[in-house]
Amino acid sequence: VQLQASGGGLVQAGGSLRLSCAASGRTLSMYVMGWFRQPPGREREFVAAISWRGDNTRYADSVKGRFTISRDDAKNTAYLQMNSLKPEDTAIYYCAANLAGLMASATLYEHWGQGTLVTVSS
């Protein structure tokens, strides 16, 4: 499956953005979808994941209550709604897919999108 992330941009602190992850090649419905991010000068970190049925989610503590992951299998797309953005949310955001489960480890995701840059100004 090929993944294409989009929706990044420049936003002021307190603002919102919605990232999209469109899939092609195979249906997303069998995959757990995840979002990761890589802040400047730091390693890639887990943000959120959603089960293949969409009935279970997992979030990093740093984004709980502010970010929401969702999926629309009819559109073969996953989303990350980001509210109350903070400057420390500035990063390249990647979507990823795996068949194993709600994993926070990037090494367990088999498929990756190219990343979309989110910049939050103070």
Side-chain angles (χ1 to χ4, degrees):
V1 61
Q2 291 78 46
L3 303 176
Q4 177 82 26
S6 62
L10 174 63
V11 63
Q12 288 188 330
S16 298
L17 280 175
R18 187 176 80 156
L19 305 183
S20 298
C21 178
S24 61
R26 295 188 72 176
T27 177
L28 274 185
S29 60
M30 67 179 70
Y31 289 94
V32 170
M33 297 302 299
W35 286 94
F36 290 77
R37 66 186 182 186
Q38 186 164 14
R42 293 169 55 185
E43 294 189 353
R44 194 172 299 190
E45 61 187 33
F46 171 76
V47 176
I50 185 166
S51 62
W52 65 274
R53 287 193 300 184
D55 57 351
N56 200 5
T57 56
R58 180 177 180 179
Y59 295 92
D61 288 344
S62 59
V63 306
K64 278 181 183 175
R66 300 188 298 123
F67 290 12
T68 302
I69 188 171
S70 62
R71 63 191 300 155
D72 185 341
D73 289 341
K75 295 182 179 180
N76 229 25
T77 302
Y79 303 96
L80 184 69
Q81 177 67 42
M82 306 186 295
N83 298 329
S84 302
L85 282 161
K86 305 174 181 180
E88 51 264 43
D89 293 319
T90 294
I92 300 174
Y93 283 72
Y94 299 88
C95 60
N98 86 75
L99 293 170
L102 287 174
M103 305 298 182
S105 172
T107 60
L108 298 176
Y109 284 77
E110 299 101 344
H111 306 284
W112 289 84
Q114 86 292 355
T116 185
L117 177 62
V118 172
T119 303
V120 184
S121 63
S122 58

